[in-house]
Amino acid sequence: MAWTSKVLVSITILALFVIDQGQGCQVSTGAQTTKDWWETAQLYQIYPRSFKDSDGDGIGDLNGITSKLKYLKELGVTAAWLSPIFTSPMVDFGYDISDFFDIQPEYGTLDDFRALIKKAKELDLKIILDFVPNHSSNESEWFKKSVNREKGYEDYYVWHDGKVNATTGEREPPTNWLQYFRGSAWEWNEQRQQYYLHQFAVQQPDLNYRNPLVVAQMKRVLKYWLAEGVSGFRCDALPPLFEVLPDAEGQYPDEVISGATDDAEDRNHLTVKYIENQPETIDMVYQWRTVLDDYQRIFGGDSRVLLIETYAPAWFTMQFYGNRTTNGAHLPFNFNLITVMEQNEFSAKNVQLAIDLWLNNMPAGRTPNWVLGNHDKRRAASRYGQEHIDAMNMLIMVLPGASVTYQGEELGMTDVEISWEDTVDPWACNSNPEIYEQYTRDPARTPFQWTNGSNAGFTDGPTTWLPLASDYDTINVETESQAELSHLKIYEHLGALRKSSQTLKYGSTKYQTLLENSFVVERILANEPTIVFAANFGNTVAYLNLLEFDKNLPESLKLLIRSVESTKNYNNRYGTTSLRLEPGEALVMSTEN
């Protein structure tokens, strides 16, 4: 779901006090000898519309995904998370769901989904579905019944009479609240003669979680897909799930002007004190976790996981993990490697800041995770620079916990320039040709690049639903698989190392910015080889003395994995007192003999 929030401002200031480039940071991951599958998972996000088309209509589908599951297995992927595949008018490309219990026809059928689950189980891959709890489509039967005030559905959504302007006598929305996709968050429904709340597009009315019937219904959705064999859910857009309670007269408060932008249609023009990050949202996540745990207790099998999307301050996000008595989400997604760099330049110092913000705030005994990108953000290689994509893939695979890869990051895919005429993203379409590029998510959603053949091997049909990247003849699976060294080969090596290395699974972690713009991560486990990641994020050659980082390191380290542009040789040993790193160069090394 595309949405922005003014986050990390106060916690960034706090985090600056805990960063000490001279001391580094030591993090213990505990003395566990075993971990559940999700604690070290290599998660891979599939945007179904753009992954693989099996029927020539230019739109990706379930059978296309099934045909490429072996590719994911070869990457080392543990679980594939699918963006929404449910029945939808596709106003927001699946995030406007009209039937939570069925499959969007252009993606396939329930039988196609069951075939995908069957194939995934054969390959020991897990499938995670996108759960979109905040709203439905306005074409949902639930919404139609609510409009008609049918029994049991009267308050399924957030309805309000609005207020009358004392000067004009005209009826107006209840508040000044703004939606994520620009403009008022309230829409008048002529038939019901009330406004409904929609924090996203006008076709996406907000469900009312203060109604127990809605809570029960959405739990039924979870149980239905668990019974179909999924291994968990990624929960979309949690911050706006609840809004503040109205006062005794039934009125909601207005938000105040934030000062972040002068654009009065942009959500960031106002604060979101009353429409985001309410305490009831935390409790709802705890209830969903109970549904998943109860299902495992009754039916057995591996843990079913709950992953949470929340662009929110640390004080709110970390509560999703749970508390001393109650389990919450297994993994609230960590977007710091995205958001910190959005607010600041891309540098080693800010990479450290992003890591500190998570590890220094995460409750004890919980599992971290690391996200480089997703379908709502510009592609990682475009944001960090293509020369750094290997380094960033290395980073999230070497750090403790779970990694999350958005399709194409393993190839170094970059943004595609999308014209106003080709724009389909509703967030951008709600703007205009002068400013749409500020809002469009289309550049990161273009079709996956399988080959250098017609339409990048994505479809056998004549067209694709979004334009292809112009560099697909060199940036594609087929070409990179055949190359001696490529972004894809590096990613595969990382996946293999992650699975084989006890150090990466169970070791403690030390990390530090060295010199001005180099970054080092060390993973240490008794009686196992130490793993060291070193990257130069700067524009000049760096000479690192790793013994200043850890005096216990040996005089040389064995090279296991190197970035594409590096000229160093695999399995050679390189000195630790003056390790030369070219601009953009990144290495994964080991103390093994």
Side-chain angles (χ1 to χ4, degrees), residues 287-552:
Q287 292 186 45
W288 293 336
R289 172 66 184 266
T290 299
V291 171
L292 270 61
D293 287 350
D294 285 349
Y295 192 89
Q296 182 192 14
R297 177 176 51 81
I298 296 169
F299 296 100
D302 293 339
S303 298
R304 278 68 165 186
V305 298
L306 195 60
L307 317 175
I308 298 296
E309 182 195 38
T310 170
Y311 289 88
W315 66 265
F316 187 74
T317 297
M318 294 304 168
Q319 293 181 72
F320 282 116
Y321 272 118
N323 54 42
R324 293 180 180 179
T325 60
T326 307
N327 282 322
H330 295 79
L331 300 172
F333 273 174
N334 170 13
F335 298 118
N336 288 349
L337 289 170
I338 300 173
T339 55
V340 168
M341 258 54 78
E342 285 179 337
Q343 298 175 21
N344 307 279
E345 65 178 356
F346 176 62
S347 67
K349 179 186 72 173
N350 288 323
V351 167
Q352 179 166 335
L353 172 59
I355 297 171
D356 281 334
L357 283 171
W358 199 266
L359 294 183
N360 292 343
N361 286 286
M362 187 178 69
R366 303 298 178 173
T367 299
N369 67 96
W370 313 97
V371 181
L372 291 187
N374 55 45
H375 62 294
D376 287 335
K377 297 294 182 179
R378 294 303 179 103
R379 293 189 186 277
S382 292
R383 284 183 285 109
Y384 303 123
Q386 199 164 29
E387 69 274 20
H388 297 305
I389 190 61
D390 294 331
M392 296 306 288
N393 279 330
M394 290 177 187
L395 178 65
I396 67 169
M397 299 283 239
V398 168
L399 286 169
S403 66
V404 185
T405 294
Y406 175 57
Q407 63 180 47
E409 287 171 359
E410 74 276 20
L411 301 176
M413 283 179 63
T414 53
D415 290 341
V416 178
E417 185 175 342
I418 305 293
S419 69
W420 171 252
E421 290 72 24
D422 288 330
T423 294
V424 293
D425 179 11
W427 198 9
C429 292
N430 278 357
S431 61
N432 60 62
E434 283 68 45
I435 62 173
Y436 81 98
E437 290 178 325
Q438 300 176 35
Y439 302 101
T440 183
R441 299 165 297 175
D442 291 336
R445 298 178 174 187
T446 55
F448 193 81
Q449 295 155 205
W450 292 102
T451 73
N452 60 6
S454 176
N455 285 326
F458 167 73
T459 180
D460 293 332
T463 60
T464 57
W465 78 283
L466 275 175
L468 287 160
S470 59
D471 62 0
Y472 78 80
D473 57 331
T474 56
I475 305 298
N476 63 74
V477 172
E478 182 179 61
T479 300
E480 294 194 31
S481 294
Q482 294 171 357
E484 183 177 348
L485 187 65
S486 65
H487 301 308
L488 177 59
K489 287 281 184 69
I490 290 165
Y491 188 89
E492 290 174 346
H493 294 333
L494 288 166
L497 178 63
R498 233 171 112 107
K499 284 196 165 38
S500 63
S501 171
Q502 295 296 103
T503 304
L504 292 183
K505 291 177 183 176
Y506 304 113
S508 61
T509 306
K510 182 180 180 181
Y511 58 91
Q512 183 180 334
T513 299
L514 294 182
L515 302 178
E516 183 177 351
N517 220 350
S518 295
F519 193 71
V520 180
V521 178
E522 183 180 39
R523 301 295 307 280
I524 309 163
L525 184 66
N527 303 317
E528 293 287 338
T530 293
I531 302 294
V532 176
F533 160 78
N536 181 0
F537 293 128
N539 298 317
T540 59
V541 174
Y543 292 90
L544 306 185
N545 183 353
L546 295 179
L547 296 185
E548 294 180 355
F549 171 67
D550 182 357
K551 64 182 180 181
N552 296 315

Side-chain angles (χ1 to χ4, degrees), residues 8 30 77 178-179 192 278 313 329 400 419 437 509 511 532 565 588:
L8 293 174
V77 168
L178 296 171
Q179 57 158 310
R192 178 156 165 149
Q278 302 303 311
S419 69
E437 290 178 325
T509 306
Y511 58 91
V532 176
E565 299 301 327
V588 176

